[in-house]
């Protein structure tokens, strides 16, 4: 089974994420089954359980899970960009997450979506060549 990580801001991309899950997945799986394979999409939209954690611990867990899921899915990734930039954690949290993944960043003031893109698509040419970018007009 191949799992494709879906990166986008959450609040403005429900329609697109639903379409991937309900339409694109079934079409891909119909074709993949002919080759004894399957596709799934990693969609973290429904959240990461942070109920028992304080705000900082919860934010750290969100960043860690996002980057770990990119590793689990790599190299395929789909990025959907629209009008929102997304949630921007404190720079210390971005630095900690980037350091853990040995990702060098020029700017630590970035959204989780921007971090996902840098880590999952732009960190090297192999990742970039396996990433599809879609832009909402």
């Amino acid at each position: 089974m191949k799992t494709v990580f879906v990166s986008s801001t959450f609040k403005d991309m429900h329609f697109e994420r639903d379409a991937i899950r309900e339409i694109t997945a079934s079409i891909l799986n119909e074709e993949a089954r002919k080759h004894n394979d399957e596709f799934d999409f990693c969609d973290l939209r429904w959240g990461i359980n942070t109920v028992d954690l304080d705000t900082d611990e919860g934010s750290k867990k969100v960043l860690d899970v996002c980057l770990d899921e990119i590793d689990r899915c790599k190299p395929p990734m789909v990025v959907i960009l629209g009008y929102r930039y997304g949630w921007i954690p404190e720079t210390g949290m971005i630095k900690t997450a980037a350091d853990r993944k040995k990702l060098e960043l020029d700017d630590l003031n970035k959204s989780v979506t921007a971090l996902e893109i840098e880590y999952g698509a732009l960190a090297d040419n192999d990742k970039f060549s396996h990433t599809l970018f879609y832009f909402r007009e």
Side-chain angles (χ1 to χ4, degrees):
M1 177 183 293
K2 292 176 179 55
T3 305
V4 179
F5 188 85
V6 178
S7 178
S8 78
T9 55
F10 289 153
K11 291 183 180 179
D12 61 339
M13 293 294 173
H14 287 289
F15 175 81
E16 289 81 355
R17 285 176 175 260
D18 288 345
I20 287 172
R21 179 143 312 277
E22 296 166 12
I23 300 168
T24 306
S26 63
I27 293 169
L28 281 174
N29 277 315
E30 186 176 315
E31 194 60 35
R33 284 186 196 104
K34 294 176 186 175
H35 305 281
N36 296 318
D37 209 346
E38 255 185 280
F39 272 93
D40 191 20
F41 290 89
C42 177
D43 184 343
L44 298 176
R45 171 174 40 163
W46 293 282
I48 298 162
N49 187 359
T50 59
V51 172
D52 296 333
L53 304 174
D54 69 30
T55 303
D56 286 347
E57 288 175 321
S59 297
K60 181 187 177 308
K61 182 177 179 179
V62 167
L63 291 173
D64 288 346
V65 168
C66 287
L67 298 183
D68 289 346
E69 285 298 300
I70 290 170
D71 285 340
R72 184 179 70 82
C73 298
K74 77 179 174 185
M77 184 171 175
V78 170
V79 177
I80 311 167
L81 298 172
Y83 304 112
R84 297 187 73 248
Y85 187 66
W87 171 54
I88 303 171
E90 294 179 17
T91 57
M93 290 181 188
I94 293 287
K95 180 173 179 9
T96 300
D99 288 349
R100 186 173 74 85
K101 294 296 186 176
K102 297 176 177 56
L103 176 65
E104 292 184 32
L105 299 173
D106 293 334
D107 179 15
L108 297 174
N109 189 28
K110 61 182 68 245
S111 71
V112 174
T113 304
L115 180 65
E116 289 172 352
I117 293 167
E118 285 201 39
Y119 182 66
L122 304 178
D124 64 54
N125 286 335
D126 185 53
K127 290 179 179 181
F128 183 75
S129 67
H130 289 90
T131 303
L132 297 173
F133 288 87
Y134 296 93
F135 301 89
R136 179 191 282 164
E137 291 185 16

